[in-house]
Amino acid sequence: MVALTRIEAKVQEFLEELQSPLVLELSANLQSGKMLRSKLALNIAAESEESVCLCAIVEMIQSASLLHDDVIDNATTRRNKPSINALFGDKNAIMLGDVLYSKAFGELTTFQKTYPLIPRIIANAVTTLAIGEMEDVELSKEFNDDEAKYLTMIEHKTAALIEATAYAAAFLAGKNEKDAERFQIYGRSLGVAFQIIDDVLDIVADSKDLGKPALSDFKEGKTTLPYLYLYHLLDDAGKIRLRKAFKRDLEAKEQEWVLEQLHTSGAITKSIGLARHFGKVGVEAIANQSCDKLIEIMHAMIDRDF
């Protein structure tokens, strides 16, 4: 897609403006993702100088959040490649994240005159994202059996920036406040569904495709939705066994038990069902907006290979 190439070039242009060889060296090792947020914005606002600029800003923010996330999680890989913190250390990863955040906020000010709501929408999302990171860290301290806490955390950590991107892009497309809010709901729903499916894939996907070992979320201290559902489906002995497995490097026998329980209990199916529910909410929100491509994006994201 030509527009995605333009977005990558715009990010590079922004970084070159900083005149820092070190920033360019570090950023050259960033792993490019699926650019979901950019695809979303382009399908709402179409390709233009303004939309490409907005997407570049959002991609820098997303990269910054992942840099900090990898440090927090002590992650050594990102999309099957060594993470920045593994290559250059935690300090450089944190500082590069700070540079990307700061540059992105600086570029956001260019929207102030023509689209005054956009800087606030994106800035608020980054604040919410950071709160979500804090909530994630807090929840990882012990086994979480509260579905509401999990859903609130992923709405903040994952969905906030996707929601803001869709909301901001709607204003770029000339939508009024009421219609822009429809895209906001779509973005939030897409973000929550996206994270639930990611959490399911951590369990069922091939580790090569996933870019990290299976069940790594549970080992890192993340009680994602399938484990949460499984916990409430187990008997008392099973509940104790699952809690004991939390945040541990499991032996093969114990890992097999966890996987078997996740599949046979219906916890995975129930998790996918909730993702589909959020997908339906998002699609219904934009039902009268003639956005077939966004409906395709929602279905494709939820129906990823299991």
Side-chain angles (χ1 to χ4, degrees):
M1 188 175 182
V2 176
L4 296 182
T5 303
R6 283 187 65 193
I7 292 164
E8 291 173 340
K10 178 61 73 172
V11 171
Q12 186 64 22
E13 177 188 321
F14 285 155
L15 296 179
E16 288 174 356
E17 289 174 359
L18 300 173
Q19 298 183 344
S20 169
L22 182 56
V23 166
L24 294 178
E25 178 190 358
L26 295 177
S27 63
N29 290 274
L30 289 169
Q31 304 302 323
S32 179
K34 296 181 176 66
M35 299 179 74
L36 171 64
R37 293 152 194 82
S38 290
K39 291 174 183 175
L40 180 58
L42 293 173
N43 277 290
I44 295 172
E47 183 180 345
S48 67
E49 286 296 327
E50 291 167 326
S51 64
V52 167
C53 182
L54 175 64
C55 289
I57 289 167
V58 169
E59 292 299 332
M60 286 194 295
I61 290 170
Q62 174 65 6
S63 293
S65 73
L66 294 178
L67 284 165
H68 289 179
D69 202 28
D70 284 344
V71 172
I72 291 168
D73 292 340
N74 294 314
T76 56
T77 59
R78 169 65 61 181
R79 303 187 183 101
N80 280 321
K81 299 286 181 66
S83 59
I84 297 295
N85 53 303
L87 291 170
F88 301 101
D90 289 351
K91 293 178 182 179
N92 278 319
I94 292 169
M95 294 306 292
L96 179 60
D98 290 348
V99 168
L100 293 174
Y101 272 134
S102 300
K103 181 60 174 171
F105 279 121
E107 295 302 327
L108 262 180
T109 62
T110 62
F111 288 94
Q112 192 62 50
K113 284 187 177 180
T114 49
Y115 299 96
L117 285 177
I118 287 180
R120 181 172 293 276
I121 289 169
I122 301 298
N124 285 345
V126 177
T127 302
T128 301
L129 184 160
I131 291 171
E133 283 278 14
M134 294 171 66
E135 292 168 341
D136 192 22
V137 170
E138 189 65 24
L139 287 178
S140 71
K141 291 179 178 178
E142 58 185 28
F143 188 96
N144 171 50
D145 60 7
D146 190 328
E147 180 181 348
K149 287 182 179 179
Y150 163 84
L151 290 175
T152 297
M153 182 272 291
I154 65 171
E155 185 175 320
H156 292 162
K157 182 180 175 181
T158 303
L161 188 57
I162 297 175
E163 173 185 341
T165 301
Y167 194 25
F171 285 111
L172 273 185
K175 304 291 183 181
N176 59 39
E177 177 67 31
K178 185 176 180 180
D179 284 340
E181 287 175 356
R182 296 179 183 276
F183 289 92
Q184 181 184 21
I185 294 168
Y186 170 90
R188 184 189 313 135
S189 302
L190 177 66
V192 172
F194 175 86
Q195 187 60 58
I196 292 172
I197 296 299
D198 254 21
D199 292 344
V200 170
L201 290 173
D202 179 77
I203 297 165
V204 304
D206 182 89
S207 59
K208 184 178 179 181
D209 296 332
L210 195 62
K212 57 181 179 178
L215 303 187
S216 62
D217 284 347
F218 200 55
K219 179 183 174 182
E220 291 171 6
K222 300 179 187 296
T223 317
T224 57
L225 195 63
Y227 299 100
L228 200 154
Y229 281 157
L230 172 59
Y231 179 79
H232 290 291
L233 291 166
L234 290 170
D235 58 21
D236 289 343
K239 284 182 169 68
I240 293 170
R241 189 172 180 180
L242 186 64
R243 280 184 175 274
K244 286 183 177 179
F246 181 62
K247 295 182 81 168
R248 284 180 49 211
D249 194 357
L250 300 179
E251 295 180 359
K253 183 179 179 181
E254 202 65 6
Q255 182 166 313
E256 287 173 7
W257 178 81
V258 173
L259 281 170
E260 181 183 2
Q261 295 302 314
L262 284 164
H263 283 283
T264 60
S265 67
I268 291 174
T269 301
K270 187 175 180 181
S271 299
I272 296 170
L274 186 61
R276 294 192 192 285
H277 164 74
F278 280 105
K280 183 180 179 183
V281 170
V283 167
E284 287 178 350
I286 57 167
N288 65 343
Q289 297 295 314
S290 301
C291 293
D292 290 346
K293 186 61 179 178
L294 294 187
I295 295 172
E296 288 178 22
I297 288 174
M298 181 72 82
H299 290 314
M301 188 279 304
I302 293 174
D303 295 329
R304 284 178 283 170
D305 288 340
F306 292 104

